[in-house]
Every structure is written in structure tokens, then in C-alpha cells.
Amino acid sequence: MPTKEEWKKQLVDNAEQQILNLTDSDKFKNYLNTVAKFHRYSARNIDLIYSQNPEATQIAGFKQWKNDFNRSVNKGEKGIRIAAPMIKKLTPEDQKRLDTTKEKSIVGYRYIPVFDISQTSGEPVLSAKDFVKENLADHKNVTNLYNELKNYLNNNTDIKVSEKRLSELGGAKGYFQPSTNEIVIGSDEPDNALKLETLYHEYAHSQLHGLMSEFKDRPRAYQETQAEAVAYVAMQNIGVDTSNYSLGYVATWAKDTAVIHSALSEIQQVSNKVIELSDGLTKQLGLQEAQKEPEHDLKKLSAQELNKSYQGLQQKVQQAISPQQKAQFKNQLNDVHQEISERTQKQLQAFAEENPEIKQPDPEYDQSLKR
């Protein structure tokens, strides 16, 4: 069984390998090709798009939808107008007047129509949602841990955690504001596991990318890769698998292996801190003890309860995410198995004593059946 330090390193190494596996997949490469086809718009055009269609997600022109994505704009759809630059080839006189050596320059803007994917029909288009799945199952005790972590940060650190409705967060699940050292989480997020994972994510930002943090000037791709990797590791540590969400989220930011390697090499310290913090809080909540079935308690269980415990632990061993958890459940399973075996042997012995006429099994054969 690995030591605590080996376990922490194992979690981070596992996260890196999982992300590398995903970004090496053909599906993800196709996704990146899709992203590359969409134009990146200026802040001005983003404002224009939002003002005309707040629900817009993927924008392209009439011909681009047809040529690049094999989709057609639906009949009767009204275009979203954005500003497109008018570029003119400069004469020597123009270059002299504008004091430039450039051969071309923007001389004005015209408004052209573009269309959101919801206004089109045709072949499916890959999006981030193919990698970022948010339908995580609800997990017992996750809400308690979320509240405990939030209270701990508010009462014991200089970080302030508050909540706002998701509708006020502009599509985000939460955010960290470096200037005020504040974390804001979506209060009405229905998925408790995702809510806790978001708090871990924003806490990682506060530690890695706050105003005084060592890595505050890292590019956005590095920052998001690091924060979500820490959140993934933290959730893995408490036995909640968020790989469908976390790994896809990281992959959409870390678009090459160099970013993944560089970003994850810097998160070990913060991951260790988050794991230690989580362990302390789960102990306070009694969640760690609740997962155990001490050996002395097994003696008090009825045969039906013992069998039920055995079946439950078998399922936990199969579903365990981490080697540490699997080893823990296996140890508990062995304890239960031993208790069942001892009870069975006592019952057989009592039966044999009460029925001496029945032939007893050969001891050597009996030993071969034991686990």
C-alpha cells in the first residue's frame, strides 16, 4: 500500500496521463480542427453578437457554414450583424501620409451577417460539450464537505467565499477575483459534486494565480489546466470521479502536450495542500470513519447484515477509483470474509458435534477451499 506522499504523487501523475491520453485521441484532434475554423472575434463584435443573440454559441458566415461544416442556414433566419474590416492596398502616397511601410491597411468597417449554429441545419459539429460532460451523479456527503470547505476558507484564511445565482455568473460555474481575493460559486448548481469541484478549482486559482502567487503571470491555458487538474486530483482523493468533466475541460485548454507537462509540473505543492485540507475536513465530518467497518463491530452484525456488508464492499472494490481506496475496501472485505468464515466454521463444528454419524470432510480438502 503506497505511503501518503506516494499516493499524492500518484494522483497527479495519473491526472497527467489521463489528460495526455484524451488529447491524443482522434476525436479531440477533430475537435481542435473544428475550433480552428471558427473566427476569433474582437471584444466589439462579441458585444454586438451578445446584444443581438445572447444564446449564440458558434458563429460563422453563410458560405462558411456550407463549405467548412456542410450545414445550411435555415430559410428565413435573420443574420447577426458584426463589423468586418475593409482593407485597402496602400499607394506610396498613402504610406507616406499614414507614416507606415505596410502594404495594406484598414480603412473602415462594414457590417456583415453571420449566423449561430442554432440557425443552421446539417451535419453535427463537435463542440467542447463532447468533452465536458456536466451530468455528474450526485454523491452522498458531498454537500457537507462543500459547506465545511467553504466555512473553513471564510473563517481560517484571507479568502472570502460567497455565492450567487448561476444566471449572474455569465455562464460560469464560479470564479476567483484576484483583486479582492474572493471566490464566488453558483448557489443553485443542482449537481453537488460539480459544486464542490468548482470550489476546489477556484481555490486552486487563488493559490496558484492570486496577486502574490508565484504563477500569477502564466497564460490562461496554463492557469485553467492547473486549476482543473488540482480540482480533479482533490475529487479523486475523496473518491469522486470527475474525469468526464475535468479531463475534458483541461483538454480544451491544454491543446498540446508541452502545456500539459509544464502546467502540471507546477501543481504538486497545491495538490498536496488541497489533499491535506480535505483529509482534515472529512475527518471532522466523520466521513472517513463512516466508510470503515471496524473489526470489533463485525461481531455485532447479524448474518444478514454481514452478508449485505460483504456484497456492498465487493461493489466498492469494483468501483474504487484510486489504488488507495481499492486497497482500503479490499482490507475491509477481507475482514468481513474472515468473520463470515469463522462463523461458518463454528456452525459446521456445532453441526458436526450434534450429528456425529455424518462423515466429516478431509481436513486437507477443506483447507483448499479457504480463501
Side-chain angles (χ1 to χ4, degrees):
M1 187 171 178
T3 65
K4 190 68 175 177
E5 290 307 313
E6 290 172 338
W7 165 239
K8 293 172 186 174
K9 184 178 185 303
Q10 212 172 71
L11 282 174
V12 177
D13 291 345
N14 174 65
E16 180 172 9
Q17 190 54 53
Q18 295 269 22
I19 296 163
L20 288 170
N21 290 344
L22 178 59
T23 54
D24 195 42
S25 70
D26 289 337
K27 188 175 183 181
F28 186 70
K29 290 172 183 175
N30 290 337
Y31 163 71
L32 294 185
N33 290 334
T34 299
V35 171
K37 292 177 183 178
F38 286 103
H39 296 298
R40 295 189 178 278
Y41 295 106
S42 65
R44 177 187 181 185
N45 276 335
I46 291 174
D47 288 341
L48 283 170
I49 293 168
Y50 183 80
S51 66
Q52 296 169 74
N53 185 353
E55 305 300 321
T57 57
Q58 293 174 306
I59 302 294
F62 188 95
K63 289 184 178 179
Q64 190 184 13
W65 277 123
K66 189 68 177 176
N67 298 334
D68 289 351
F69 302 103
N70 201 21
R71 293 179 70 88
S72 301
V73 174
N74 298 331
K75 188 175 181 179
E77 291 288 352
K78 183 180 179 183
I80 301 168
R81 295 283 171 171
I82 63 170
M86 294 187 293
I87 300 174
K88 174 186 175 183
K89 185 175 181 179
L90 300 178
T91 64
E93 292 76 15
D94 290 331
Q95 291 175 324
K96 185 176 181 180
R97 177 172 53 83
L98 298 172
D99 191 23
T100 182
T101 58
K102 293 181 180 180
E103 294 183 358
K104 297 179 179 180
S105 179
I106 297 174
V107 295
Y109 290 87
R110 60 193 177 93
Y111 289 92
I112 62 171
V114 291
F115 301 86
D116 180 55
I117 188 172
S118 63
Q119 298 175 286
T120 68
S121 302
E123 292 185 2
V125 177
L126 279 174
S127 72
K129 289 184 178 179
D130 290 301
F131 305 94
V132 183
K133 300 178 182 178
E134 299 180 3
N135 58 336
L136 298 173
D138 193 13
H139 297 271
K140 186 179 179 181
N141 295 320
V142 164
T143 302
N144 290 341
L145 182 54
Y146 167 80
N147 290 328
E148 195 72 13
L149 178 58
K150 182 179 70 171
N151 292 338
Y152 175 87
L153 295 177
N154 278 327
N155 298 328
N156 298 280
T157 73
D158 58 354
I159 302 168
K160 295 305 172 190
V161 183
S162 60
E163 295 185 351
K164 290 183 179 178
R165 294 187 63 80
L166 289 169
S167 58
E168 301 177 62
L169 300 184
K173 301 295 183 183
Y175 65 82
F176 167 66
Q177 183 60 50
S179 60
T180 58
N181 210 28
E182 181 186 16
I183 292 173
V184 177
I185 304 294
S187 60
D188 51 336
E189 168 56 52
D191 189 326
N192 293 329
L194 184 54
K195 196 172 181 181
L196 174 61
E197 197 266 357
T198 301
L199 181 53
Y200 278 132
H201 178 105
E202 303 308 336
Y203 174 67
H205 272 313
S206 74
Q207 300 303 291
L208 286 162
H209 314 124
L211 291 179
M212 305 302 291
S213 300
E214 182 180 358
F215 309 124
K216 63 181 175 63
D217 296 324
R218 291 288 186 270
R220 181 76 186 278
Y222 276 68
Q223 292 187 4
E224 293 303 323
T225 298
Q226 289 173 326
E228 190 62 23
V230 169
Y232 170 72
V233 167
M235 296 296 281
Q236 285 279 93
N237 182 61
I238 64 171
V240 179
D241 182 16
T242 62
S243 56
N244 279 346
Y245 176 82
S246 295
L247 301 185
Y249 182 92
V250 170
T252 58
W253 282 102
K255 292 186 174 66
D256 61 68
T257 56
V259 171
I260 297 169
H261 283 302
S262 300
L264 294 191
S265 68
E266 298 172 349
I267 73 167
Q268 184 75 52
Q269 185 177 349
V270 173
S271 294
N272 290 348
K273 185 175 181 180
V274 171
I275 289 171
E276 294 297 337
L277 177 57
S278 296
D279 284 351
L281 295 177
T282 52
K283 284 178 182 176
Q284 287 179 27
L285 291 168
L287 301 185
Q288 291 189 6
E289 286 75 14
Q291 294 176 347
K292 298 177 183 178
E293 292 184 72
E295 187 174 353
H296 64 270
D297 285 342
L298 298 180
K299 305 292 184 185
K300 301 177 182 179
L301 296 180
S302 67
Q304 184 178 4
E305 290 171 334
L306 204 61
N307 287 330
K308 186 175 180 181
S309 176
Y310 187 85
Q311 292 170 0
L313 285 168
Q314 280 185 315
Q315 188 175 5
K316 286 181 179 180
V317 169
Q318 294 174 351
Q319 295 176 346
I321 304 301
S322 66
Q324 185 188 45
Q325 271 198 326
K326 188 178 285 289
Q328 176 187 333
F329 291 140
K330 278 186 175 180
N331 288 336
Q332 294 176 33
L333 186 63
N334 288 335
D335 290 341
V336 175
H337 178 270
Q338 185 64 33
E339 177 63 19
I340 293 174
S341 180
E342 289 175 4
R343 289 191 190 186
T344 303
Q345 291 301 317
K346 287 179 181 179
Q347 290 168 356
L348 288 173
Q349 184 65 34
F351 182 81
E353 290 173 357
E354 293 172 4
N355 301 274
E357 70 277 11
I358 298 179
K359 185 179 177 181
Q360 300 302 304
D362 182 76
E364 185 176 341
Y365 177 76
D366 180 59
Q367 284 296 322
S368 70
L369 295 179
K370 289 185 179 179
R371 186 172 175 176

